[in-house]
Amino acid sequence: MAHITYIEAISKGLWEEMERDSSVFLLGEDIGPFGGAFKVTKGFLQHFGVNRVIDTVLAETAILGAATGAAVVGMRPIAEMQFADFVTTGFSQLVNNSASIHYRWHLPCPMVVRLPSGAGIHGGPFHSRNPEAWFFHQPGFKIVAPSTPYDAKGLIKAAIRDNNPVLYLEHKRLYRHIKGEVPETDYIVEIGKGDVKRSGNDISIITYGSMVHTALEAADVVQNENGVSVEVIDLRSLMPLDTELIFASVRKTGKVLIAHEDNITGGIGGEIAALISDQCFQYLDAPVKRIGAIDTPTPYSPTLEEFFLPNTKKVIAAVQELAAF
Amino acid sequence: MAHITYIEAISKGLWEEMERDSSVFLLGEDIGPFGGAFKVTKGFLQHFGVNRVIDTVLAETAILGAATGAAVVGMRPIAEMQFADFVTTGFSQLVNNSASIHYRWHLPCPMVVRLPSGAGIHGGPFHSRNPEAWFFHQPGFKIVAPSTPYDAKGLIKAAIRDNNPVLYLEHKRLYRHIKGEVPETDYIVEIGKGDVKRSGNDISIITYGSMVHTALEAADVVQNENGVSVEVIDLRSLMPLDTELIFASVRKTGKVLIAHEDNITGGIGGEIAALISDQCFQYLDAPVKRIGAIDTPTPYSPTLEEFFLPNTKKVIAAVQELAAF
Amino acid sequence: MKTTKRSNPVKLSKVNAGKNSQRPHSLTQKEYLQLYYFMRLTREFEESILKLYRQGKIVGGAYTGNGNEATAVGSAFALGENDYLFPMHRDMGAHLVKGQSLRNLMLQHMGRGNSLSKGRDGTGHYADPSLKIYGNISHLGAMIPMAVGVALASTLRKEKAVVLTYIGDGGSNVGDVHESLAMASVMKLPLILIIENNQFAYSTPVAKQKAMEKYSDRAAGYGIPGVTIDGTDLELVYKTCKTAVERARAGEGPTVIESVTMRMHGHSAHDGAEYVPKTLLAEWKKKDPVQRIEKLLQDKKILTSKIKEEYEKKIFAELEDAVQFAIDSPYPPAEDAAVGVYAV
Amino acid sequence: MKTTKRSNPVKLSKVNAGKNSQRPHSLTQKEYLQLYYFMRLTREFEESILKLYRQGKIVGGAYTGNGNEATAVGSAFALGENDYLFPMHRDMGAHLVKGQSLRNLMLQHMGRGNSLSKGRDGTGHYADPSLKIYGNISHLGAMIPMAVGVALASTLRKEKAVVLTYIGDGGSNVGDVHESLAMASVMKLPLILIIENNQFAYSTPVAKQKAMEKYSDRAAGYGIPGVTIDGTDLELVYKTCKTAVERARAGEGPTVIESVTMRMHGHSAHDGAEYVPKTLLAEWKKKDPVQRIEKLLQDKKILTSKIKEEYEKKIFAELEDAVQFAIDSPYPPAEDAAVGVYAV
Ligand SMILES: Cc1ncc(C[n+]2csc(CCOP(=O)(O)OP(=O)(O)O)c2C)c(N)n1
Ligand SMILES: Cc1ncc(C[n+]2csc(CCOP(=O)(O)OP(=O)(O)O)c2C)c(N)n1
Ligand SMILES: [Mg+2]
Ligand SMILES: [Mg+2]
């Protein structure tokens, strides 16, 4: 066991998989000598060489398309977007090519796209994107969003071993703020399996990524202040969803809050709420509630961004409202 | 009143607005002498001239970006995507520039993007896209999807007069298969207002675009065969949603089927189901059900596409299931 | 169910000269005949597609490369077995030369369950790894970044295999093409891009797609060679591509070849193309690539009427077989639609 | 709340010579001094931004154009009042020349509620229609298609106004740039694109961004003029842009100008740029654009120490005022975040 940060866990996972499988390689902007904008691949070039750690031209369509092509002929590329926001510049490659390769061509497309995501760092409208919902709607992707160092390492390794295009959402605010125990030994976190990060009986919070920590903080507060027992489900995988785990929790608690940092409208919380309302209809003691960023671009000023984002206070209020229902 | 097709209604609406406002102009591929792949702008070049009907290079990013730029300085561009599918090639311009111009710059961005959408014409994976969900999730767009000639004309005129980027989804299968009465006199259909296309008491079908006709067919069948009274709500506007109208219908019937041609998972039906489950919790006598295309790319073979798409039979089955609940 | 591959002319066992084609630029008699065979095969195949389209036997639209046969056939003929092909919608001849069977192509056009895409997509939209053919998608230019990725994989794995791909005069303006050439040129990847300038992009004349004289003028903007050639001259296409292939194989990087041709048919089978000046068609008809090679080989006394008849018999027989085979093949079972989004 | 616009040097009433700048290429004494003033103003403004960044007073990141001042100032100086400016993140000098006030720029960098973007975005990311400045977004290249649209609007409305925009050596590879040049060249739009080749894209040396010799080599691929110039030579930048502006205004279409400079600072204030060879910086330091123009004007006896002091006094006073004004200005009220997604 090592006590490491979220970002160290990602690096370790990448490193181990590159050691294990020579068909794995990295491509992206400034990932070589510089080690990447967030230093995730620091030292990789020196160890793995220029054929495994490839600095590209500044061109996301080329990066994502090249990763797709290389994957189709048997390599295992890992493409880094410098910020998740810039995946929009190569959007067509992912939704038109990568996602449907297997359905159309019956060939695996084992690629990973690393997406440094999320707000709360005063990045403004163009360095704060949570891009999951667009790809969640496009059949063919797997999407993961770890919240802890353990999950971050286990999921990057699983993503690399998966034979489908996997979008790996790594939250920038968690990079250096979250530390945790991570095995030195080889392990993966299975894609499609959520995790009960806190068990409780009164209310289920279904969440992922950065909001897991927000939910856990809120859960402690309402436990102490209101004696409300909250269960926190960390989805970990957004596609496929662990509906088993979600429904089991809902059947137990009967009350649900879905929380994500992404904008509410059209976010994946809507799909989850719809699934729960459909599949757990008889078990619901209250309407399924959702919390997320308000429906605006991510504003730049601290005051605005604070108002824009969900936070512990807002989650507590939502939980208390549900408890009172 | 003229009895005209859906596609004629779109053309008439465009024509009238171009006559009314000289700042309105068209740009796109093959829209000039050729009159567009679907002939929506046939005869426009001859009447309005090369400065109002502009054939562009084959480059959607340039088309959508140029429309955005022209709109920001006071023109009212209407960009045609030859097929909705190709909007992915200019995705970044829309979600990064157009959608947030007003929020960031406090300037109007009065542009319309025409999106010939939808499947059922054996177009295969790349000529059948229903693109609404991606943009539904991006704050800043208005999105309309008419189902009748009356709405098609009224909504294109409203879209052109709107000071925001409006995505106008025109369903290819409706172009020449749907005829209806359309006033010669000036009128608009207000964006944000849905329409009760059939009133009923037992079950509400919330739908839009091509599925409105499927729903109406199904409603007649279950009325006759099962004596079930179905209300069909045509959203017409997907963003903003007419939640008033939706909730009123749900409060009346207590049972809801949401139907769209787009893939189910992550489609806007999820958001609508979530809103209903939240806001109409006490009124629901059955779980909110959804029907749509299965979660795959649009397959090419007739047998596959038939299985892939929702149709009258499937809607009838879903309604009967709800009725029996 | 896999069906017979490569449609071979009588006695010709193999088109490609070994794994990494080292065929000299000058063509042997045998090669001339192979080329002629594939030119005719391409033309006759597309004619039968049009006939089937009019009979309502094609699912969706039908595209032909009439006028483009020399470009499609001559370019693919410069490839070796291990080389990769990313053809466009006017390049049926390239599919055939690379070894695709008429049966598989017919099955694709009729959306049958035993087609290479299993009916999920049509026409040339399929992949056949056994022949290293990776078809296009509808989005113009979108396959080129993937071709770059394959060229990168080939380089990383020291395959010495090259990647040949295509784009039209209209599609050349899509950003994907630019990003691909930027990446391929900096990485010196074994990529050959043929720009098929066939005078029109759907209804839009090429004058409305470009302000420069030649598409090959864009190559200098990436520091790579660019040439413009008469795309109806089969030998010239082959030799130009051969040079580019050898250059790529030697690790000297990408080449852009603008092949000037004419789209002799409508954009697709439903398009009457009234917007194309009759005089322009008449001009280009004189350069019909199939007639050109036929005349050349007759003048060279390589193509005898006996061989010609033999080939025609074979071609029509094969076509009949392929059409019948496809018609007799069932559509995929409906429930198949739900299967295969993910690889296991 | 609107704040004072254009930061004018002493006595200089107007920078732009009338609506559609017809200023001759040769610079008057007064113009030389205006240019010098804006060069110093740009340099000092960015220095104070860095100071504020280190003091934690800037929201988010801070970018400077140190080494790029002549390109930013000289290019914008070639514009008239009615011309449009789409500046990039190294072009603070262009904002200033086009008339933006230090107060507004400080407010932007500090995310204040009375900034032009009302705190929704930072740095140069704002629009000021009164000055025809439309800022970039973070996505490199994404503003250029919009600039093309403005150039189209200008043409359709017969404004005779030109559009000046910029991209970096890295950003030039983004597809948006290609599609923009393809459209602008075919439509002969009044667009000027300056490619700021400052040797690096973040940590990536330009040798890894291009295989051709010059970025201006790409212009021929669109049939438009392309030149490469020393971007530290203020006069040369101005005159080159002036020629391009007049060409565009005359309806002769776009021009690409590669301005070769050096990014003397890190990519942004947090970046130590250890990856940049010290020798390279030393080389370029000799060509410091601000020192170059200072020396030139001193040699020409245009810039006296008296004027220099005067300007410095004025600049530092204005900067102090702007900083204080911004610091004293409140952040927007939190609830503002929910307002203004749609125009009414
Ligand atoms: C990105 C994109 N935009 C638009 C289309 C619609 N479309 C299909 S073919 C075509 C014309 C293509 O012309 P060109 O590239 O010259 O190829 P050609 O058909 O002439 O061989 C168009 C506009 C498309 N397929 N992809
Ligand atoms: C489409 C896109 N990809 C990646 C980035 C991240 N990024 C911001 S600036 C930068 C380097 C830009 O280099 P260059 O274009 O040369 O401009 P410079 O900063 O050197 O002036 C990168 C990679 C971005 N902003 N946009
Ligand atoms: Mg063409
Ligand atoms: Mg640079």
Side-chain angles (χ1 to χ4, degrees):
Chain A
M1 282 290 179
H3 193 69
I4 58 174
T5 60
Y6 181 92
I7 195 167
E8 286 166 337
I10 298 169
S11 299
K12 275 193 189 303
L14 288 168
W15 186 283
E16 287 177 18
E17 291 305 298
M18 288 182 74
E19 288 284 10
R20 191 185 55 76
D21 181 348
S22 63
S23 68
V24 178
F25 72 97
L26 311 173
L27 72 168
E29 297 157 5
D30 305 294
I31 66 172
F34 193 58
F38 295 100
K39 297 281 177 272
V40 170
T41 57
K42 192 160 190 299
F44 279 55
L45 176 71
Q46 294 72 356
H47 184 74
F48 294 104
V50 291
N51 288 344
R52 306 282 307 279
V53 184
I54 302 175
D55 266 332
T56 67
V57 290
L58 200 163
E60 284 73 15
T61 292
I63 292 167
L64 296 168
T68 307
V72 166
V73 295
M75 306 285 287
R76 291 186 170 274
I78 302 170
E80 171 176 312
M81 297 286 99
Q82 200 159 81
F83 283 78
D85 306 66
F86 307 129
V87 77
T88 52
T89 306
F91 188 77
S92 167
Q93 286 300 314
L94 287 178
V95 299
N96 293 316
N97 279 328
S98 326
S100 60
I101 290 277
H102 190 263
Y103 190 75
R104 293 179 291 114
W105 285 0
H106 315 288
L107 296 173
C109 184
M111 64 186 278
V112 178
V113 182
R114 288 187 37 239
L115 297 161
S117 305
I121 53 159
H122 309 319
F126 304 111
H127 286 81
S128 307
R129 184 74 77 173
N130 288 294
E132 56 266 32
W134 290 326
F135 303 105
F136 180 78
H137 180 55
Q138 172 64 50
F141 292 111
K142 294 187 179 180
I143 310 174
V144 298
S147 67
T148 66
Y150 179 91
D151 293 341
K153 185 178 176 187
L155 282 170
I156 192 69
K157 288 163 74 79
I160 293 166
R161 298 178 193 186
D162 198 279
N163 282 328
N164 298 281
V166 182
L167 305 178
Y168 183 89
L169 276 63
E170 42 194 73
H171 200 292
K172 301 190 296 286
R173 218 173 56 253
L174 301 184
Y175 272 155
R176 292 177 170 79
H177 292 148
I178 300 295
K179 283 191 130 201
E181 295 301 316
V182 174
E184 310 277 10
T185 55
D186 183 43
Y187 74 99
I188 66 155
V189 170
E190 192 186 335
I191 296 177
K193 290 266 168 287
D195 185 36
V196 180
K197 285 286 193 291
R198 181 190 207 278
S199 63
N201 305 312
D202 303 335
I203 291 171
S204 305
I205 301 182
I206 316 288
T207 185
Y208 59 91
S210 65
M211 288 300 289
V212 169
H213 304 281
T214 312
L216 290 169
E217 277 173 42
D220 289 341
V221 173
V222 293
Q223 180 70 70
N224 302 336
E225 296 188 0
N226 316 82
V228 177
S229 161
V230 173
E231 178 152 291
V232 176
I233 302 288
D234 180 356
L235 292 171
R236 298 197 296 197
S237 289
L238 311 185
M239 180 61 68
L241 280 171
D242 191 345
T243 48
E244 286 302 302
L245 187 71
I246 295 170
F247 297 158
S249 178
V250 175
R251 283 193 295 267
K252 178 172 67 173
T253 62
K255 294 182 174 184
V256 191
L257 175 68
I258 300 162
H260 55 54
E261 189 186 286
D262 192 11
N263 302 95
I264 289 189
T265 298
I268 76 167
E271 180 68 29
I272 296 166
L275 290 169
I276 291 171
S277 306
D278 180 359
Q279 301 297 308
C280 305
F281 187 67
Q282 297 91 334
Y283 297 90
L284 287 175
D285 304 322
V288 176
K289 293 290 176 185
R290 289 178 295 158
I291 189 166
I294 63 172
D295 291 322
T296 73
T298 307
Y300 175 73
S301 280
T303 49
L304 303 179
E305 191 176 20
E306 165 84 16
F307 184 90
F308 165 83
L309 286 174
N311 58 29
T312 309
K313 256 183 53 253
K314 296 175 191 175
V315 172
I316 290 168
V319 170
Q320 286 168 337
E321 193 191 320
L322 263 178
F325 191 90
Chain B
M1 283 288 180
H3 193 68
I4 58 174
T5 61
Y6 181 91
I7 195 167
E8 286 165 337
I10 297 168
S11 299
K12 276 193 190 300
L14 289 169
W15 187 283
E16 287 176 15
E17 290 306 297
M18 288 182 74
E19 289 283 12
R20 192 185 55 77
D21 180 348
S22 64
S23 68
V24 177
F25 72 98
L26 311 172
L27 73 168
E29 297 157 5
D30 305 293
I31 66 171
F34 193 57
F38 295 100
K39 297 279 177 273
V40 170
T41 57
K42 191 159 189 300
F44 279 55
L45 176 71
Q46 294 73 356
H47 184 73
F48 294 104
V50 291
N51 288 342
R52 307 281 308 277
V53 185
I54 302 174
D55 266 333
T56 68
V57 290
L58 201 162
E60 284 73 14
T61 292
I63 293 167
L64 295 168
T68 307
V72 165
V73 294
M75 306 283 287
R76 292 185 169 275
I78 302 169
E80 172 177 311
M81 297 285 99
Q82 200 159 81
F83 284 78
D85 306 66
F86 306 128
V87 76
T88 52
T89 306
F91 188 76
S92 168
Q93 285 300 313
L94 287 178
V95 299
N96 293 316
N97 280 329
S98 325
S100 60
I101 289 277
H102 190 262
Y103 191 75
R104 293 179 292 115
W105 285 359
H106 315 287
L107 297 173
C109 184
M111 61 186 280
V112 177
V113 182
R114 289 186 37 239
L115 297 161
S117 306
I121 54 159
H122 308 320
F126 304 111
H127 285 80
S128 306
R129 182 73 78 171
N130 289 294
E132 56 267 32
W134 290 326
F135 302 105
F136 181 77
H137 180 55
Q138 172 64 52
F141 292 112
K142 293 187 179 180
I143 310 175
V144 298
S147 68
T148 66
Y150 179 91
D151 293 342
K153 184 178 175 187
L155 283 170
I156 192 68
K157 288 164 74 79
I160 292 166
R161 298 179 193 186
D162 198 278
N163 282 329
N164 297 281
V166 181
L167 305 178
Y168 184 89
L169 276 63
E170 42 194 75
H171 200 292
K172 302 190 294 286
R173 217 173 58 253
L174 301 185
Y175 272 154
R176 292 177 171 79
H177 292 147
I178 301 295
K179 284 192 129 198
E181 295 303 317
V182 174
E184 310 279 9
T185 55
D186 184 42
Y187 74 98
I188 66 154
V189 170
E190 192 185 336
I191 295 177
K193 291 264 167 287
D195 184 38
V196 179
K197 285 285 195 288
R198 181 189 207 279
S199 61
N201 305 312
D202 303 337
I203 291 170
S204 305
I205 300 183
I206 316 288
T207 185
Y208 59 92
S210 66
M211 289 300 288
V212 169
H213 304 281
T214 313
L216 289 169
E217 277 173 44
D220 288 341
V221 173
V222 291
Q223 180 69 69
N224 302 336
E225 295 188 359
N226 316 80
V228 177
S229 162
V230 173
E231 178 151 290
V232 177
I233 303 289
D234 180 356
L235 292 171
R236 298 197 296 196
S237 289
L238 311 185
M239 179 61 68
L241 279 170
D242 191 345
T243 47
E244 286 300 302
L245 188 71
I246 296 170
F247 297 159
S249 178
V250 174
R251 284 194 293 267
K252 178 172 66 173
T253 63
K255 293 182 175 183
V256 190
L257 175 68
I258 299 161
H260 56 54
E261 189 186 284
D262 192 9
N263 302 96
I264 289 188
T265 298
I268 75 166
E271 180 68 28
I272 296 166
L275 290 170
I276 291 171
S277 307
D278 181 359
Q279 300 298 307
C280 305
F281 187 66
Q282 298 90 331
Y283 298 90
L284 288 174
D285 304 322
V288 176
K289 292 290 176 185
R290 290 178 294 156
I291 188 165
I294 62 172
D295 291 324
T296 73
T298 306
Y300 176 73
S301 281
T303 49
L304 302 179
E305 191 177 19
E306 165 84 18
F307 184 90
F308 165 82
L309 286 174
N311 58 29
T312 310
K313 255 182 55 256
K314 296 175 191 176
V315 172
I316 290 169
V319 169
Q320 287 168 337
E321 194 192 317
L322 263 178
F325 191 91
Chain C
M1 159 193 180
K2 267 288 158 96
T3 59
T4 56
K5 281 288 158 57
R6 184 191 298 297
S7 162
N8 266 334
V10 193
K11 298 256 174 322
L12 302 184
S13 54
K14 186 176 284 321
V15 166
N16 315 87
K19 297 204 149 302
N20 299 332
S21 172
Q22 294 309 332
R23 188 188 300 109
H25 289 28
S26 62
L27 291 154
T28 66
Q29 186 150 341
K30 181 174 149 193
E31 288 167 339
Y32 272 120
L33 287 173
Q34 292 175 315
L35 283 167
Y36 174 72
Y37 172 81
F38 281 109
M39 291 289 283
R40 286 298 306 276
L41 186 65
T42 303
R43 174 68 56 89
E44 301 307 335
F45 172 81
E46 294 193 335
E47 285 304 315
S48 69
I49 289 295
L50 287 178
K51 195 144 110 275
L52 291 161
Y53 177 85
R54 286 187 289 268
Q55 298 167 353
K57 293 209 175 81
I58 301 292
V59 179
Y63 300 84
T64 71
N66 193 296
N68 194 58
E69 295 91 345
T71 299
V73 168
S75 57
F77 202 72
L79 295 180
E81 258 186 359
N82 287 355
D83 296 327
Y84 298 89
L85 178 72
F86 282 75
M88 213 182 51
H89 56 293
R90 308 285 177 208
D91 304 316
M92 219 21 88
H95 289 260
L96 292 166
V97 169
K98 198 72 170 69
Q100 197 47 271
S101 70
L102 293 175
R103 282 184 167 198
N104 281 340
L105 293 172
M106 281 295 174
L107 291 169
Q108 274 294 116
H109 279 78
M110 295 195 204
R112 295 317 209 248
N114 54 339
S115 67
L116 286 162
S117 74
K118 299 188 181 154
R120 276 98 193 274
D121 205 347
T123 64
H125 296 202
Y126 69 86
D128 189 343
S130 70
L131 297 173
K132 304 220 165 149
I133 299 173
Y134 299 88
N136 59 309
I137 67 170
S138 300
H139 292 63
L140 295 162
M143 73 173 166
I144 302 178
M146 282 185 64
V148 169
V150 172
L152 173 60
S154 167
T155 304
L156 295 175
R157 297 190 296 212
K158 307 197 170 30
E159 289 178 14
K160 291 216 162 297
V162 311
V163 181
L164 173 62
T165 189
Y166 308 79
I167 190 68
D169 44 286
S172 296
N173 287 326
V174 175
D176 299 31
V177 180
H178 173 64
E179 296 197 14
S180 297
L181 290 176
M183 180 177 276
S185 59
V186 168
M187 293 183 173
K188 274 186 166 296
L189 298 178
L191 181 82
I192 295 143
L193 175 63
I194 298 187
I195 297 177
E196 296 176 339
N197 177 355
N198 61 5
Q199 312 312 316
F200 285 86
Y202 205 155
S203 76
T204 306
V206 67
K208 280 189 170 178
Q209 295 287 355
K210 66 167 177 68
M212 69 287 182
E213 190 197 336
K214 306 186 260 66
Y215 278 97
S216 57
D217 293 341
R218 290 187 176 168
Y222 307 96
I224 60 177
V227 291
T228 295
I229 60 171
D230 175 352
T232 67
D233 180 337
L234 181 57
E235 273 190 294
L236 179 60
V237 170
Y238 164 69
K239 289 177 177 172
T240 309
C241 292
K242 196 81 181 74
T243 308
V245 164
E246 282 164 9
R247 195 172 173 282
R249 216 186 292 294
E252 289 159 35
T255 301
V256 167
I257 299 167
E258 176 185 16
S259 183
V260 183
T261 64
M262 176 67 195
R263 197 193 73 204
M264 299 301 288
H265 287 169
H267 169 62
S268 71
H270 78 277
D271 172 26
E274 295 75 12
Y275 49 82
V276 177
K278 300 278 156 296
T279 53
L280 189 62
L281 287 168
E283 261 318 298
W284 281 91
K285 188 88 195 79
K286 297 184 197 129
K287 288 155 61 82
D288 179 291
V290 176
Q291 283 163 22
R292 271 188 81 166
I293 186 69
E294 180 161 317
K295 172 116 188 15
L296 179 81
L297 298 197
Q298 282 165 339
D299 295 352
K300 281 180 180 278
K301 302 267 179 300
I302 292 174
L303 180 67
T304 65
S305 51
K306 183 170 158 310
I307 298 179
K308 190 178 168 205
E309 268 166 39
E310 210 178 283
Y311 281 10
E312 284 167 352
K313 270 233 310 300
K314 177 174 164 46
I315 286 168
F316 290 121
E318 279 197 349
L319 272 169
E320 214 184 300
D321 160 80
V323 171
Q324 201 52 53
F325 180 80
I327 287 172
D328 296 344
S329 299
Y331 283 131
E335 322 73 57
D336 262 25
V339 181
V341 168
Y342 290 117
V344 287
Chain D
M1 160 194 176
K2 265 289 157 94
T3 58
T4 56
K5 281 289 160 56
R6 182 193 298 296
S7 163
N8 265 334
V10 193
K11 297 256 171 323
L12 303 184
S13 55
K14 186 174 285 317
V15 167
N16 319 88
K19 297 205 150 306
N20 298 331
S21 170
Q22 293 309 331
R23 190 187 299 110
H25 288 30
S26 62
L27 291 155
T28 65
Q29 187 150 338
K30 181 175 153 196
E31 288 167 338
Y32 272 121
L33 287 174
Q34 291 175 315
L35 283 167
Y36 174 72
Y37 173 80
F38 281 109
M39 291 290 283
R40 287 297 305 277
L41 186 65
T42 304
R43 174 68 56 90
E44 301 307 336
F45 173 80
E46 294 193 335
E47 285 305 315
S48 68
I49 289 294
L50 287 179
K51 196 144 109 273
L52 291 162
Y53 178 84
R54 287 188 289 269
Q55 297 167 353
K57 295 210 176 79
I58 302 292
V59 179
Y63 300 82
T64 70
N66 193 296
N68 195 58
E69 294 90 345
T71 299
V73 168
S75 57
F77 202 71
L79 294 181
E81 260 187 357
N82 286 355
D83 295 326
Y84 299 88
L85 177 72
F86 282 75
M88 212 181 54
H89 56 292
R90 307 288 178 207
D91 304 317
M92 215 28 82
H95 290 260
L96 291 166
V97 169
K98 199 72 169 69
Q100 197 48 270
S101 71
L102 292 175
R103 283 184 167 198
N104 281 340
L105 293 172
M106 281 296 173
L107 292 168
Q108 274 294 115
H109 279 79
M110 297 195 202
R112 294 316 207 247
N114 53 340
S115 67
L116 287 163
S117 75
K118 297 185 182 161
R120 274 97 194 275
D121 205 348
T123 63
H125 295 202
Y126 69 85
D128 189 344
S130 70
L131 296 173
K132 303 215 167 158
I133 299 174
Y134 298 88
N136 60 308
I137 67 170
S138 300
H139 293 64
L140 294 163
M143 73 172 164
I144 302 178
M146 281 184 64
V148 169
V150 172
L152 173 61
S154 167
T155 304
L156 295 176
R157 296 190 297 212
K158 309 199 170 30
E159 291 178 13
K160 293 219 164 293
V162 311
V163 181
L164 172 62
T165 187
Y166 307 78
I167 190 68
D169 45 285
S172 296
N173 287 326
V174 174
D176 300 31
V177 180
H178 173 64
E179 296 197 13
S180 297
L181 290 177
M183 179 177 277
S185 59
V186 168
M187 294 183 173
K188 275 186 164 298
L189 299 178
L191 182 83
I192 295 144
L193 175 62
I194 297 185
I195 298 178
E196 296 176 341
N197 177 355
N198 61 6
Q199 312 312 317
F200 285 86
Y202 206 154
S203 76
T204 306
V206 67
K208 280 189 169 179
Q209 294 286 359
K210 66 167 178 66
M212 69 289 184
E213 190 197 335
K214 308 186 258 61
Y215 278 97
S216 57
D217 293 342
R218 288 187 177 168
Y222 307 96
I224 60 177
V227 291
T228 295
I229 61 171
D230 176 350
T232 67
D233 181 337
L234 181 56
E235 274 188 293
L236 179 60
V237 171
Y238 165 70
K239 288 176 177 170
T240 309
C241 293
K242 196 82 181 75
T243 308
V245 164
E246 282 164 8
R247 192 171 175 284
R249 216 185 292 292
E252 290 160 34
T255 301
V256 167
I257 299 167
E258 176 185 17
S259 184
V260 182
T261 65
M262 176 67 194
R263 198 193 72 206
M264 299 302 287
H265 287 169
H267 169 61
S268 70
H270 78 278
D271 173 26
E274 294 76 11
Y275 49 82
V276 177
K278 299 280 157 292
T279 52
L280 189 62
L281 287 167
E283 261 320 299
W284 282 90
K285 189 85 193 80
K286 299 184 197 129
K287 287 156 61 84
D288 180 292
V290 177
Q291 284 163 22
R292 271 186 81 163
I293 186 68
E294 181 162 314
K295 172 121 189 19
L296 180 82
L297 298 197
Q298 282 165 341
D299 296 351
K300 282 181 182 275
K301 303 270 183 294
I302 292 174
L303 180 67
T304 65
S305 51
K306 181 171 161 308
I307 298 178
K308 190 178 166 205
E309 269 166 40
E310 212 178 282
Y311 281 10
E312 283 168 353
K313 270 233 311 296
K314 177 172 166 45
I315 288 169
F316 290 119
E318 280 197 348
L319 272 170
E320 215 183 299
D321 160 79
V323 171
Q324 202 50 54
F325 181 79
I327 287 172
D328 296 344
S329 300
Y331 283 131
E335 322 75 55
D336 262 25
V339 180
V341 168
Y342 290 117
V344 286

